[in-house]
Amino acid sequence: TQLLEQSPQFLSIQEGENLTVYCNSSSVFSSLQWYRQEPGEGPVLLVTVVTGGEVKKLKRLTFQFGDARKDSSLHITAAQPGDTGLYLCAGEMGRGDMRFGAGTRLTVKP
Amino acid sequence: DAGVIQSPRHEVTEMGQEVTLRCKPISGHDYLFWYRQTMMRGLELLIYFNNNVPIDDSGMPEDRFSAKMPNASFSTLKIQPSEPRDSAVYFCASNTQGASEKLFFGSGTQLSVL
């Protein structure tokens, strides 16, 4: 059982559609990060959220940290083919202990 | 900066052989992390170092796995003997203040044990 459950596992949508992916846990995290990973490469950090209820925006991406700091969501508006990739959430359990979810594999079709 | 450099990019070996994966972190980063990624288990932390000292190796699956960091610019992850279930992508990452800060990942080593 994953400490961080990400859903959906796979998502395939058309260009221009909106989508939301989720990262859930029963554990509380001091911070939570979202990464995007492309084939053959390592994950690249998109955002870090620290405060319960925090919302951060990165162009068409909106990240929210749950009030209890146990869950997070990523919303993409008007998805583009360049958004295709594996989206990973990672929660900090303690200093140096970053746990990753299995990821949501997003495909945006032109 | 060239980023985190891992070698080799791909490794194919036979069961029972020794495998050594290498990592050069970003200069000035004092934390180094080794992760393993599989479809079934996602990205798992194996071990991490701070100032070349192993801090937490609780993620190392078993005694067949060992990691060293002889200096600030080099680390190895060794599997001896290797088994087919070790097949995965192994990532090295580094940063300056531990995992709550941005992790810079290498491109990974794709390991296949036949």
Side-chain angles (χ1 to χ4, degrees):
Chain A
T1 302
Q2 292 277 346
L3 182 64
L4 284 159
E5 296 288 341
Q6 291 193 245
S7 60
Q9 189 176 0
F10 297 96
L11 185 58
S12 180
I13 61 171
Q14 292 295 135
E15 181 176 3
E17 292 183 7
N18 301 332
L19 67 114
T20 302
V21 298
Y22 300 92
C23 174
N24 295 301
S25 177
S26 57
S27 299
V28 176
F29 299 102
S30 54
S31 69
L32 192 140
Q33 297 177 339
W34 283 93
Y35 288 78
R36 184 170 74 201
Q37 184 180 14
E38 298 188 14
E41 297 298 328
V44 176
L45 181 70
L46 296 173
V47 77
T48 301
V49 286
V50 178
T51 306
E54 182 177 3
V55 176
K56 280 192 174 180
K57 291 192 175 184
L58 187 66
K59 296 183 181 178
R60 294 177 294 99
L61 278 59
T62 301
F63 305 85
Q64 184 162 8
F65 201 11
D67 291 340
R69 291 185 290 129
K70 294 182 179 181
D71 52 79
S72 181
S73 63
L74 159 59
H75 181 80
I76 302 179
T77 303
Q80 299 177 0
D83 297 327
T84 293
L86 178 67
Y87 288 81
L88 296 160
C89 66
E92 183 182 17
M93 298 292 291
R95 191 160 185 82
D97 188 1
M98 208 75 186
R99 306 291 182 94
F100 281 80
T104 292
R105 194 167 296 278
L106 172 66
T107 302
V108 182
K109 300 176 184 177
Chain B
D1 199 312
V4 176
I5 299 173
Q6 291 187 246
S7 64
R9 284 299 306 268
H10 302 275
E11 176 79 37
V12 180
T13 191
E14 292 185 346
M15 182 174 63
Q17 296 297 307
E18 178 180 294
V19 175
T20 300
L21 311 181
R22 297 172 175 80
C23 175
K24 176 179 169 55
I26 292 173
S27 178
H29 284 188
D30 50 6
Y31 283 84
L32 183 143
F33 305 80
W34 282 101
Y35 285 89
R36 177 173 67 178
Q37 187 175 39
T38 60
M39 286 291 290
M40 290 295 293
R41 301 175 67 89
L43 203 59
E44 302 173 279
L45 176 64
L46 300 177
I47 185 173
Y48 78 94
F49 296 82
N50 178 217
N51 291 322
N52 313 335
V53 176
I55 303 301
D56 185 352
D57 65 355
S58 59
M60 296 286 263
E62 48 197 272
D63 291 345
R64 296 185 297 106
F65 285 69
S66 63
K68 294 181 180 180
M69 192 165 185
N71 58 63
S73 60
F74 184 65
S75 177
T76 59
L77 178 67
K78 185 177 293 186
I79 308 172
Q80 167 63 19
S82 59
E83 296 181 2
R85 60 191 169 121
D86 301 331
S87 298
V89 182
Y90 291 80
F91 285 101
C92 176
S94 70
N95 67 11
T96 57
Q97 296 186 40
S100 58
E101 297 297 320
K102 177 179 179 179
L103 284 166
F104 292 80
F105 282 85
S107 297
T109 294
Q110 173 79 59
L111 173 64
S112 297
V113 183
L114 306 177

